């Protein structure tokens, strides 16, 4: 379990936060606007009814209800493994990420959603809540699985690739459905990674001091 208990680099964490802040200052610039529009146009080449249905599935699969359901399963499993604080830490990471994005950051930036939305989505656009939650959830899930089931470390690369692929697909579906700009997604990845890393480092810090 030693490899999974390595703390994430604080330089990367602060860099992610710094880049998020910069992106929050320039997302209305012509350059970002052009990049965002190019992303919308890119997905127009691949638009099909089947892909529409798949992206709607990803929208629902990346919802808070699904994450909380999986979190409850992890919490129950952590109790069975007599590592209840591991499950609680996982749940806290998800809940605080949701509050951080929906209740704080979105209301700070108040960026409107794209006017070409495929369906009516409420709330503001920046950063993408789906991108933040997917990043926090799947990175945290990978870490927690290695803590609860150390023998899974032999499949580390495969599990990490699977998690990153799901994060990418959920995030890209938001652009495909025109409910988020590419810059919203990148911002979501940045702040999602930063929050996951802060929670992970806090967990390891407390674990090393036998607090959990």
């Amino acid at each position: 379990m030693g490899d999974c208990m390595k703390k994430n680099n604080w330089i990367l964490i602060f860099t992610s936060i710094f880049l998020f802040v910069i992106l929050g200052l320039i997302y209305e610039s012509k350059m970002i606007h052009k990049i965002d529009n190019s992303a919308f146009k890119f997905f127009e080449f691949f638009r099909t009814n089947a892909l529409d249905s798949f992206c709607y599935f990803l929208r629902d699969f990346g919802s808070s209800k699904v994450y909380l359901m999986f979190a409850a399963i992890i919490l129950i499993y952590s109790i069975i493994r007599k590592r209840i604080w591991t499950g609680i830490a996982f749940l806290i990471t998800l809940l605080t990420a949701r509050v951080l994005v929906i209740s704080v950051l979105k209301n700070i930036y108040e960026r409107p959603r794209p006017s070409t939305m495929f369906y009516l989505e409420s709330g503001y656009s920046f950063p993408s809540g789906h991108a933040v939650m997917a990043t926090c959830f799947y990175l945290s899930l990978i870490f927690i699985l290695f803590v609860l089931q150390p023998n899974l470390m032999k499949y580390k690369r495969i599990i990490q690739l699977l998690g990153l692929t799901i994060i990418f697909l959920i995030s890209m579906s938001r652009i495909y459905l025109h409910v988020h700009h590419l810059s919203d997604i990148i911002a979501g990845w940045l702040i999602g990674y930063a929050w996951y890393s802060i929670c992970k480092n806090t967990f390891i810090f407390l674990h090393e001091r036998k607090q959990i």
Side-chain angles (χ1 to χ4, degrees), residues 5-180:
M5 280 296 186
K6 290 180 179 178
K7 292 182 181 178
N8 286 15
N9 193 315
W10 282 102
I11 294 177
L12 286 177
I13 296 172
F14 287 119
T15 299
S16 296
I17 295 173
F18 174 75
L19 291 175
F20 170 82
V21 172
I22 294 299
L23 191 53
L25 295 173
I26 66 171
Y27 66 70
E28 292 183 338
S29 67
K30 290 183 179 180
M31 178 186 70
I32 299 299
H33 183 70
K34 184 176 181 179
I35 294 173
D36 285 340
N37 284 338
S38 295
F40 286 138
K41 292 178 181 177
F42 172 79
F43 282 107
E44 291 297 331
F45 291 109
F46 306 99
R47 192 166 304 285
T48 63
N49 290 335
L51 201 50
D52 286 354
S53 298
F54 181 58
C55 286
Y56 282 120
F57 164 77
L58 289 172
R59 173 199 64 183
D60 297 335
F61 188 69
S63 68
S64 296
K65 291 180 180 179
V66 173
Y67 291 144
L68 289 175
M69 180 185 70
F70 280 119
I73 293 173
I74 291 293
L75 180 58
I76 293 171
Y77 184 66
S78 68
I79 294 173
I80 295 173
R81 298 283 296 178
K82 298 181 180 180
R83 296 293 301 271
I84 185 172
W85 284 108
T86 300
I88 291 175
F90 182 55
L91 192 59
I92 290 174
T93 299
L94 294 181
L95 293 176
T96 51
R98 178 174 170 78
V99 171
L100 177 71
V101 176
I102 296 177
S103 300
V104 180
L105 293 179
K106 281 181 176 286
N107 288 324
I108 289 176
Y109 290 98
E110 296 186 342
R111 185 186 193 183
R113 291 186 183 273
S115 58
T116 54
M117 289 188 292
F118 277 30
Y119 68 95
L120 185 61
E121 182 76 88
S122 61
Y124 296 115
S125 188
F126 185 94
S128 165
H130 271 70
V132 174
M133 292 302 293
T135 303
C136 266
F137 178 81
Y138 287 103
L139 292 182
S140 298
L141 179 61
I142 292 169
F143 171 67
I144 293 300
L145 284 177
F146 291 153
V147 172
L148 293 175
Q149 205 68 42
N151 62 310
L152 289 176
M153 285 295 292
K154 58 185 176 183
Y155 305 113
K156 180 180 178 181
R157 297 302 180 192
I158 296 175
I159 293 173
Q160 288 177 332
L161 179 61
L162 179 61
L164 291 175
T165 299
I166 296 174
I167 292 170
F168 181 79
L169 289 175
I170 290 175
S171 300
M172 290 300 101
S173 73
R174 308 305 285 166
I175 303 174
Y176 182 94
L177 294 172
H178 283 226
V179 291
H180 278 296

